[in-house]
Amino acid sequence: MKSLDVRRKILADNEAAAGRLRERFRDAATLVVNLISSPGSGKTSLLEASVPRLQSELKVGVMVGDVATDRDAQRLSKLDIPSLQLITGGSCHLDARLVDIHLEVEPRLQDLDVLFIENVGNLICPTSYDLGEDYKVALLSVTEGSDKPLKYPGIFSRSTATVLSKIDLLEYTNFDLEIVRQEIRMLNPNCRIFETSAKTGQGIESWCEWLQSCLAQKRTPS
Amino acid sequence: MKSLDVRRKILADNEAAAGRLRERFRDAATLVVNLISSPGSGKTSLLEASVPRLQSELKVGVMVGDVATDRDAQRLSKLDIPSLQLITGGSCHLDARLVDIHLEVEPRLQDLDVLFIENVGNLICPTSYDLGEDYKVALLSVTEGSDKPLKYPGIFSRSTATVLSKIDLLEYTNFDLEIVRQEIRMLNPNCRIFETSAKTGQGIESWCEWLQSCLAQKRTPS
């Protein structure tokens, strides 16, 4: 079997597992958000800022993927929600089978209103692996530069929303909000864009309201 | 052939191509530095700050890898050195064969004192692909957080030097220089660590002096 065939088979196997996950999440009426960004864009910080706003009304849980260490899960364990660290052992992305295996053994994650899957810090590879999520959400911190959407079109064209993070550092950078908005919209005209700071709380309420509206939409009989 | 076998074969093919590149670079007495970091850590900015200090005495060139766009090469074209954009078309890393093919058709990159290879923005996958370089150099911007070395041990254990970038933003973050130094040294006791800012110029001279000493060492008859 050639390299390209193997890659196709890996992706086909992932699609099958993602299909099963999607059914499971539909049956549980759980909104699932797959958070994807570069290392250090602030995925865990976004969750630390968002969960306290959501957990009074909703049952929230987190799966967090990393190549090594359980540092993110340790941070998330301080929130009063179920969280689980998935160590990929070198793999650069989460895949649907890994998520499925861990869900099976973690009943606390099986009956949620919202499940966040914090992917491995990588703006490229996780994009290709469907995890049965409702939405992919990209994070881009303003310190990374405003040239990123067209340089990494895969994730920005497939994300339902983009969270611009660390907006409190905007004035110390040459990040151009208008250009970034234009480029994201060029790739993905309907993408929701949130300007946030986990530090000051800016934009976190809008982001949480959007999540709640997504959950309500998922639970509306069609 | 199973997925693991295919991966082994891909890496073995890459090693063979990297071996040929290493011979070529040895014959040309060119110092080759493979720059690896997350998207937006400042690889291109580091080159923009370094090249003007090096090019009065040395012939410097750059190959730059990206998933899409030639934005980095456009920035680098303003420096008066040969530069070449390699578009990977979705692949998350540069490989030795791609570098070799492009070197063949670009004589201006064949007779250099220093060749920088700016890898695709990705802290994980490029680590596994030898490009025939003398040294891997990791970049980590202070805005990414000081938890990164142990979270991404592959690159920080294999890099001869780590460039801490955007040090001018240190006071606005909770980045802990001492912890990062300790973690890098834990993975890699001899790693050189440079604290730099492409914006203010801090640390750029030490970094350039180190490159010059590496070149001199490469050219010292053994």
Side-chain angles (χ1 to χ4, degrees):
Chain A
M1 204 188 283
K2 285 184 189 154
S3 151
L4 197 64
D5 295 332
V6 169
R7 185 171 155 76
R8 278 196 196 114
K9 181 166 177 353
I10 289 170
L11 287 175
D13 288 350
N14 189 75
E15 286 302 309
R20 292 193 296 274
L21 280 173
R22 189 162 278 114
E23 271 182 44
R24 175 203 284 270
F25 295 141
R26 191 194 56 212
D27 294 347
T30 302
L31 178 75
V32 182
V33 176
N34 182 358
L35 291 171
I36 298 176
S37 80
S38 307
S41 298
K43 295 181 290 303
T44 310
S45 296
L46 178 70
L47 293 176
E48 287 172 324
S50 308
V51 167
R53 277 183 172 76
L54 296 169
Q55 70 193 141
S56 58
E57 291 177 44
L58 302 174
K59 283 163 69 181
V60 181
V62 183
M63 296 181 106
V64 51
D66 273 298
V67 171
T69 83
D70 64 348
R71 290 183 163 183
D72 288 345
Q74 280 182 33
R75 286 172 60 186
L76 294 164
S77 72
K78 292 177 189 150
L79 306 169
D80 186 26
I81 56 165
S83 62
L84 188 68
Q85 179 82 46
L86 279 59
I87 307 279
T88 66
S91 178
C92 54
H93 59 272
L94 291 177
D95 64 60
R97 212 172 131 261
L98 194 69
V99 170
D100 195 25
I101 289 168
H102 283 81
L103 269 186
E104 280 292 340
V105 297
E106 186 48 271
R108 296 182 311 142
L109 291 174
Q110 288 170 8
D111 183 29
L112 298 170
D113 296 310
V114 181
L115 171 64
F116 293 105
I117 304 178
E118 182 184 330
N119 220 309
V120 178
N122 183 330
L123 205 48
I124 304 170
C125 315
T127 311
S128 304
Y129 292 81
D130 183 2
L131 304 179
E133 72 272 351
D134 293 286
Y135 303 120
K136 286 181 174 61
V137 171
L139 266 80
L140 174 64
S141 62
V142 301
T143 50
E144 289 171 70
S146 28
D147 57 341
K148 295 301 171 293
L150 292 190
K151 281 180 77 176
Y152 298 86
I155 180 59
F156 292 100
S157 59
R158 289 179 208 175
S159 291
T160 307
T162 296
V163 174
L164 301 175
S165 59
K166 307 191 191 182
I167 204 91
D168 53 292
L169 295 178
L170 188 64
E171 63 181 301
Y172 309 113
T173 71
N174 59 3
F175 192 87
D176 188 321
L177 276 174
E178 202 36 55
I179 286 180
V180 165
R181 289 182 164 281
Q182 282 172 17
E183 292 200 351
I184 292 172
R185 294 266 156 75
M186 200 184 299
L187 293 165
N188 187 349
N190 298 317
C191 187
R192 288 292 303 263
I193 300 172
F194 298 95
E195 298 175 13
T196 71
S197 164
K199 200 170 181 178
T200 68
Q202 185 183 330
I204 301 297
E205 199 169 323
S206 305
W207 153 249
C208 290
E209 283 170 4
W210 179 74
L211 291 168
Q212 284 171 309
S213 72
C214 292
L215 177 64
Q217 194 182 2
K218 181 164 187 169
R219 291 180 171 178
T220 305
S222 55
Chain B
M1 203 187 284
K2 284 187 190 150
S3 153
L4 198 64
D5 296 332
V6 169
R7 183 168 157 76
R8 279 197 195 114
K9 181 164 176 355
I10 288 171
L11 287 175
D13 289 350
N14 189 75
E15 286 301 311
R20 292 192 297 274
L21 280 173
R22 191 163 276 115
E23 271 183 43
R24 178 204 283 268
F25 295 142
R26 190 193 59 210
D27 294 346
T30 301
L31 179 75
V32 181
V33 176
N34 182 358
L35 291 171
I36 298 176
S37 81
S38 306
S41 300
K43 295 180 290 303
T44 310
S45 297
L46 178 70
L47 294 176
E48 287 172 323
S50 310
V51 167
R53 278 182 171 76
L54 296 169
Q55 70 193 138
S56 58
E57 292 177 43
L58 301 174
K59 283 164 71 180
V60 180
V62 183
M63 295 181 108
V64 52
D66 273 298
V67 171
T69 82
D70 64 349
R71 291 184 161 180
D72 288 344
Q74 279 181 34
R75 286 172 61 186
L76 294 165
S77 72
K78 292 177 189 151
L79 306 167
D80 186 25
I81 56 164
S83 62
L84 188 68
Q85 179 81 49
L86 278 60
I87 306 280
T88 66
S91 177
C92 53
H93 59 272
L94 291 177
D95 64 59
R97 209 171 133 262
L98 195 69
V99 170
D100 195 26
I101 290 168
H102 282 83
L103 268 185
E104 280 292 340
V105 297
E106 186 49 270
R108 294 181 313 142
L109 291 174
Q110 290 171 7
D111 183 28
L112 298 170
D113 296 309
V114 181
L115 172 64
F116 292 105
I117 304 178
E118 181 185 330
N119 221 308
V120 177
N122 183 332
L123 206 47
I124 305 170
C125 316
T127 310
S128 304
Y129 292 81
D130 183 2
L131 304 179
E133 71 272 351
D134 294 286
Y135 303 121
K136 286 181 175 56
V137 171
L139 266 79
L140 174 64
S141 62
V142 300
T143 50
E144 287 170 71
S146 29
D147 57 342
K148 296 299 170 291
L150 292 190
K151 281 181 78 177
Y152 298 87
I155 181 59
F156 291 101
S157 59
R158 288 179 209 176
S159 292
T160 307
T162 295
V163 174
L164 301 175
S165 59
K166 307 191 192 183
I167 204 89
D168 53 292
L169 295 178
L170 187 63
E171 63 182 299
Y172 309 113
T173 71
N174 59 2
F175 192 88
D176 188 321
L177 276 175
E178 201 38 53
I179 286 180
V180 165
R181 288 182 164 282
Q182 282 172 16
E183 292 201 350
I184 292 172
R185 293 266 156 73
M186 201 185 299
L187 294 164
N188 187 349
N190 299 316
C191 189
R192 287 292 303 264
I193 300 172
F194 298 95
E195 298 175 12
T196 71
S197 164
K199 201 169 179 179
T200 68
Q202 185 183 332
I204 301 296
E205 198 168 323
S206 305
W207 153 248
C208 290
E209 282 169 5
W210 179 73
L211 291 168
Q212 284 173 309
S213 71
C214 293
L215 178 63
Q217 194 182 4
K218 181 165 187 171
R219 291 180 172 177
T220 303
S222 55

